[in-house]
Amino acid sequence: MPSSDDDANAGDSIEFVPPGDNENRSRQTLLEQLGGFSGLIYSTLPVLVFIPVNSVAGLTAAIWVALGAAAAILVWRLVRRDPVQPAVSGFFGVGICALIAYMVGEAKGFFLFGIYTSLLYAAVSLASILVRWPLVGVVWSVLNGHGSSWRSNRRTVRLYDLATAAYVVVFGARYLVQSQLYDTDRTGWLAFARIAMGWPLTATVLVLTIWVVRRVGRQSVGPTPGTASA
């Protein structure tokens, strides 16, 4: 009898400790990929300075100021010893936007890269759902080295479908709204839409993603009816 109790206790320790660890990792890993909540906010600064500087001093000055803001964010994160990968990506992203604006010769060109990137992300996310490899599940398993065993559980796949569908909605809405503003030359409203549909929506869909990851984590430690038949 004591030995069976010990086995039960050992089983309990295996089942209940990992879920908490998974939940913490889900928050940390997903936020780190975006540079944390501060990184989401920092990403709006180049846009915030670009439009007013363009109105006052012209396109060339606005491009340099936006690049300067992105560079300042990168240096700030280096000084604070924060993860710099999001800031590096942001700097190159601003650089691409600035180059397109320079080539187009209009301030609205600064937003063209983001518009078509949103369309691409929406299309890839939707395609991943249709082929039963929801992108959220794929990315999360790659980040954590979980492999593809999650695909054998239909409930898990449906949860990842839900999270991935949220990204389809967000990216699709960004494309539809901002492309319309671009086509009608409403650059000021385009900048507003870029910010309003940026980190607030990203934070919202991130909360949903964390909820899904937590639900999947809870499922993985309990019985999974239908897994063998899936």
Side-chain angles (χ1 to χ4, degrees):
M1 291 298 291
S3 61
S4 63
D5 289 341
D6 291 341
D7 291 341
N9 290 336
D12 288 345
S13 65
I14 292 173
E15 289 184 2
F16 290 106
V17 172
D21 292 343
N22 286 336
E23 292 175 14
N24 291 334
R25 277 202 303 271
S26 69
R27 295 186 183 94
Q28 294 169 359
T29 305
L30 293 169
L31 285 174
E32 284 172 2
Q33 298 305 308
L34 297 170
F37 283 112
S38 61
L40 296 177
I41 297 173
Y42 289 157
S43 65
T44 65
L45 293 181
V47 178
L48 283 174
V49 299
F50 179 80
I51 293 299
V53 173
N54 177 72
S55 301
V56 174
L59 179 60
T60 301
I63 288 174
W64 284 110
V65 171
L67 286 171
I73 293 169
L74 176 57
V75 172
W76 175 250
R77 295 190 76 93
L78 284 170
V79 170
R80 290 172 52 87
R81 297 184 180 180
D82 291 336
V84 297
Q85 186 274 330
V88 171
S89 300
F91 178 80
F92 281 105
V94 171
I96 293 172
C97 293
L99 177 61
I100 295 174
Y102 177 78
M103 294 176 65
V104 171
E106 296 182 77
K108 69 177 186 177
F110 187 83
F111 304 96
L112 199 57
F113 179 70
I115 291 172
Y116 283 101
T117 298
S118 294
L119 176 61
L120 176 62
Y121 288 162
V124 171
S125 298
L126 178 59
S128 74
I129 295 174
L130 296 177
V131 299
R132 309 305 297 156
W133 282 83
L135 196 57
V136 170
V138 172
V139 172
W140 181 243
S141 63
V142 168
L143 289 174
N144 293 274
H146 291 165
S148 59
S149 59
W150 56 271
R151 296 191 66 249
S152 64
N153 188 313
R154 295 178 182 177
R155 187 181 302 172
T156 296
V157 173
R158 284 196 294 269
L159 284 169
Y160 282 139
D161 281 343
L162 174 63
T164 305
Y167 285 93
V168 175
V169 172
V170 168
F171 288 123
R174 286 178 182 173
Y175 170 75
L176 291 174
V177 171
Q178 295 176 31
S179 62
Q180 179 63 26
L181 293 172
Y182 181 91
D183 291 339
T184 54
D185 296 320
R186 299 180 181 179
T187 307
W189 281 106
L190 181 55
F192 174 81
R194 171 73 171 270
I195 295 171
M197 304 182 78
W199 67 263
L201 290 184
T202 301
T204 301
V205 78
L206 180 61
V207 169
L208 175 61
T209 303
I210 292 173
W211 177 82
V212 165
V213 169
R214 292 177 64 182
R215 287 291 299 272
V216 170
R218 292 194 186 105
Q219 285 184 175
S220 66
V221 298
T224 54
T227 300
S229 62

